[in-house]
């Protein structure tokens, strides 16, 4: 397994190593490699899975308080994955990063606590798996609209389904003020 840094501080792309001549198996997670990059697998306390149909957009979701780190992968299909750095002290605060996760390359994303996360299903059926390092506390949930103009996320497909909760989410500007006391725009 290889670990690559991304444009957001602390967001890591985990790339599996092929096993076998035909490439039909892959080493998708190695505890010792992950630990060298600051991912302590023993901290994961929940595994979750969601199923989405093509065009569905979920996000942008995060948590206040101590937040939660996630290890995200696409077990079936392909998805457009989005991370926004919502950690006020981070050097990449406000930055948006996008990734393609699928069941062919089997890449995973490690998303540190304090980031917003969302995705769009690109294939007929998408199964998304999450390993989470904190039990869910709904009182800490925060969300920003998937189409917030300040984030300017370029979703690859027209959205087919967006939950009422996600349609009613707040703005990046309001969350930024809540987190920092400043309404400045995101960095270029």
């Amino acid at each position: 397994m290889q670990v690559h840094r991304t444009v957001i501080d602390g967001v890591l792309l985990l790339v599996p190593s092929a096993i076998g001549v035909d490439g039909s198996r892959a080493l998708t997670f190695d505890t010792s490699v992950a630990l060298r990059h600051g991912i302590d697998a023993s901290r994961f306390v929940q595994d979750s899975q969601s199923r989405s149909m093509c065009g569905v957009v979920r996000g942008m979701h995060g948590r206040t308080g101590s937040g939660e780190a996630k290890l995200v992968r696409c077990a079936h299909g392909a998805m457009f994955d989005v991370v926004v750095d919502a950690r006020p002290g981070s050097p990449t605060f406000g930055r948006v990063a996008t990734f393609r996760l699928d069941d062919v390359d089997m890449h995973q994303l490690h998303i540190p606590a304090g980031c917003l996360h969302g995705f769009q299903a690109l294939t007929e059926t998408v199964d998304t798996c999450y390993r989470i390092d904190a039990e869910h506390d709904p009182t800490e949930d925060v969300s920003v609209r998937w189409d917030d103009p300040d984030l300017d996320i370029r979703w690859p497909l027209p959205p087919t389904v967006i939950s009422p909760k996600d349609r009613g989410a707040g703005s990046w500007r309001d969350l930024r003020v809540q987190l920092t006391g400043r309404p400045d725009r995101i960095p270029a």
Side-chain angles (χ1 to χ4, degrees):
M1 177 180 87
Q2 296 178 342
V3 179
H4 301 277
R5 299 198 181 286
T6 68
V7 299
I8 295 180
D9 186 47
V11 174
L12 302 172
L13 183 67
L14 284 64
V15 178
S17 303
I19 300 174
V21 177
D22 65 354
S24 62
R25 287 185 41 218
L27 174 64
T28 59
F29 191 82
D30 183 310
T31 301
S32 61
V33 172
L35 199 52
R36 285 196 303 269
H37 293 276
I39 303 169
D40 182 357
S42 70
R43 295 198 45 156
F44 292 119
V45 297
Q46 278 187 336
D47 283 5
S48 300
Q49 182 168 332
S50 69
R51 175 164 289 166
S52 304
M53 302 304 136
C54 189
V56 168
V57 171
R58 299 190 188 275
M60 300 297 300
H61 304 143
R63 290 188 37 197
T64 59
S66 58
E68 65 185 11
K70 299 177 189 176
L71 190 61
V72 179
R73 69 181 178 89
C74 181
H76 177 78
M79 59 193 251
F80 177 76
D81 202 87
V82 183
V83 180
V84 177
D85 190 344
R87 300 167 296 166
S90 168
T92 54
F93 178 70
R95 188 162 293 164
V96 178
T98 63
F99 308 87
R100 179 185 167 93
L101 300 179
D102 59 43
D103 60 6
V104 175
D105 292 334
M106 296 181 273
H107 294 171
Q108 297 181 69
L109 274 180
H110 178 262
I111 304 168
C115 291
L116 300 176
H117 176 252
F119 68 88
Q120 183 176 41
L122 300 177
T123 54
E124 185 176 334
T125 305
V126 172
D127 288 337
T128 306
C129 297
Y130 310 85
R131 301 205 75 203
I132 303 167
D133 74 347
E135 290 188 28
H136 183 244
D137 180 352
T139 64
E140 293 184 340
D141 288 350
V142 295
S143 58
V144 171
R145 281 186 60 90
W146 63 279
D147 61 349
D148 186 280
D150 287 330
L151 294 178
D152 194 29
I153 299 166
R154 309 289 175 149
W155 300 98
L157 301 175
T160 56
V161 176
I162 299 167
S163 74
K165 177 182 172 186
D166 288 347
R167 285 191 186 280
S171 70
W172 171 244
R173 179 183 173 88
D174 288 347
L175 181 59
R176 184 180 182 107
V177 169
Q178 177 186 338
L179 295 171
T180 68
R182 297 187 344 244
D184 309 31
R185 292 180 57 85
I186 60 173

